[in-house]
Amino acid sequence: ALACSRDDHFSKMQVCSQRGVIGLGLTRKGCPAPVKPIRPARRAINVVACSADKQDTRIFRRTVADSAFWERHRTEDRYTKNLLSMIQSRIIMNLYRPLSWVLSVAVVVGLYETARDQGTLDPNIFPEFLLANPQPQMLTSFAVSLLLSARTSQSYDRWWEARKVWGGILNRVRDVTTQCAVFFPEDQQLLRQACGRWTIAFTRALHAHLQDNVDVKGHLRDVLSASEMEMLLNSQHRVVKSLSVLAEVIKQAPMNPLQQQMMMTNVQFFYDALGMCERIYRTPMPLVYTRHTSRFLMIWLTTLPFGLWTQFHWATIPICLLVGSLLLGIDEIGVQIEEPFGVLPLDAICTRAELDARQVLNESGLASEYAETLVIGEQKHSNGLNGAKQPWEVATKVGASR
C-alpha cells in the first residue's frame, strides 16, 4: 500500500508521500518515473468535481434526534408542511438535470402534437408518435416499482448496519474508558490517561477515514500531545495506528490476565468495526444494478408523455413532472444512503464519545472515594451491631412464624 497523505483522497493512489513508500518496486529515496493514472481514478476525480455542490448537501442529512425533534416529527400537520416544502427539498433540487429532460420531452411532445392538430405541421408528412395503447407502460410500471423498492431496501440495510456499527463503537468507548479507570492501578495515571486519549483518537481517526474534509489535527489538538500527534499523522493508516498504540498501552498496564483479556476484547471489536466500515464504504451495490435501474427509469419517464397526451393533453406536462420527481426522488434517496457515512452524524457520535470518556476518567477518583466510603460505612455499621439480629433476619423469622 502506498504511504500517502490521507487528506488527498483521490490522488493517493497516484502520487508518493514525502516520507517515501515501501513495496511495489518503490523505495524511500523518491518516487519512480511518472506513470499514466488509471482511467477509473480520472473519472472519479471528474465526477466528484462536477458534483461538489450535490455532495455538500449531504451534511444537512446528518440528523441527531432529541425530544424536540421527535415532537416535531410526530406533529399532525407534518403532511402539509412536507408537501409545501417539496420545492425546497434538496433531493428534488439535486434532480434538476433529469427532471429538465423529462420536462423538455413533455413540452416537445405537446408542441409537436398541437402543431399537427392545428395543421402547422402536415400530418401526412409528420407522423404521429403517440402510443396507441398505453398497455406497455402499465406492464413495465410494475417492474419500475420493484427496481426502486429493492434499491431503497438494500440501501437502507447498508445505512442501518453502519449506524449499528457506530452505536457499538460508542458503547465500547465507554466500556474501555471505564475499564481504564477501574482496572489500572492508581499509581499508573500516565497509562490511564494515555488509554483514554488513544481511544478518543481512534474514533476521530475512523471518522476522518470515512468522511472527507475532516480536520483530525484540529479535533485532537486538545487530546494528544505534540509527539503523539506527529506519530498519528505520519502513520500510513491512522486508525490502525491508534488501535495498535491502545493495545500496547493495555499490554503495559499492570493488571491481572482476566482484566487484560476483557480490555483486549474491546480492542478487537474496534478492529472488527473498522473492517465492517471499510467493507460498506469500499463495496457499493453492484454497478450493473444501479445503472440498469437508472436507464430503465429514464426510458420509462421519457416515453410517459407519449402515452398520456391523448387523454390529458397539456396536463401531461405537470403530470410527467410530478411523477418524475417522485420516482427519481426515490432512486436518489437510495443512492444517497447507499454510502451511509456521508449522511450519518459521525462528528456528533465522536463528540459524545469524547465527552463520556473525559467524564469517566476525570471523575474516576470521585467514584473510587465514594465506593470506599460505602465500604468503610458498612464496616462501621457491622461493628456497631455487635452481633444483633439484622432486620432481614428478624423479618424472615416473623414471616416463618406466620
Side-chain angles (χ1 to χ4, degrees), residues 371-384:
E372 291 177 358
T373 56
L374 293 179
V375 173
I376 296 175
E378 183 65 25
Q379 293 176 352
K380 292 181 179 180
H381 178 70
S382 300
N383 295 333

Side-chain angles (χ1 to χ4, degrees), residues 71-281:
E71 184 177 353
R72 295 191 305 268
H73 188 69
R74 294 188 296 263
T75 183
E76 296 179 355
D77 59 346
R78 63 182 181 275
Y79 301 103
T80 304
K81 290 183 178 179
N82 293 332
L83 181 61
L84 296 177
S85 62
M86 181 177 178
I87 301 179
Q88 302 175 351
S89 172
R90 295 184 179 91
I91 292 293
I92 302 299
M93 294 173 64
N94 290 337
L95 299 172
Y96 71 94
R97 289 185 179 179
L99 287 179
S100 298
W101 168 257
V102 174
L103 179 62
S104 300
V105 172
V107 172
V108 170
V109 170
L111 294 175
Y112 180 83
E113 292 300 325
T114 301
R116 288 184 73 256
D117 294 340
Q118 294 178 355
T120 305
L121 298 178
D122 189 355
N124 297 325
I125 300 177
F126 296 92
E128 181 181 7
F129 293 102
L130 299 180
L131 297 178
N133 189 351
Q135 193 69 21
Q137 287 184 333
M138 297 176 61
L139 294 176
T140 54
S141 62
F142 178 70
V144 171
S145 64
L146 286 180
L147 287 174
L148 293 179
S149 176
R151 170 71 178 174
T152 54
S153 177
Q154 294 297 325
S155 298
Y156 176 79
D157 290 341
R158 293 167 57 88
W159 178 87
W160 182 237
E161 182 180 3
R163 182 60 185 89
K164 289 191 295 184
V165 170
W166 273 90
I169 291 175
L170 177 59
N171 293 335
R172 293 303 179 108
V173 167
R174 295 164 175 166
D175 194 9
V176 168
T177 51
T178 301
Q179 291 171 345
C180 290
V182 175
F183 294 163
F184 282 38
E186 292 292 338
D187 58 348
Q188 299 293 333
Q189 290 296 324
L190 293 179
L191 285 177
R192 179 184 294 183
Q193 296 298 326
C195 180
R197 291 198 304 271
W198 284 104
T199 303
I200 298 173
F202 158 72
T203 61
R204 293 298 184 180
L206 183 58
H207 177 203
H209 187 61
L210 301 174
Q211 286 185 0
D212 296 328
N213 302 322
V214 177
D215 185 11
V216 180
K217 187 175 181 180
H219 285 301
L220 297 178
R221 183 178 293 109
D222 298 332
V223 178
L224 300 179
S225 63
S227 59
E228 292 172 338
M229 181 73 72
E230 182 180 2
M231 178 171 56
L232 179 65
L233 297 180
N234 292 334
S235 61
Q236 177 184 350
H237 200 303
R238 297 172 182 175
V239 185
V240 175
K241 184 65 175 181
S242 60
L243 289 178
S244 62
V245 175
L246 176 61
E248 188 63 31
V249 170
I250 296 174
K251 178 182 176 181
Q252 296 298 329
M255 66 179 78
N256 64 63
L258 180 59
Q259 294 173 340
Q260 191 175 71
Q261 182 180 2
M262 293 174 61
M263 297 194 68
M264 291 303 297
T265 301
N266 289 325
V267 176
Q268 182 63 44
F269 175 85
F270 289 151
Y271 275 109
D272 294 339
L274 169 62
M276 288 185 285
C277 290
E278 288 183 334
R279 170 174 54 83
I280 297 173
Y281 186 75

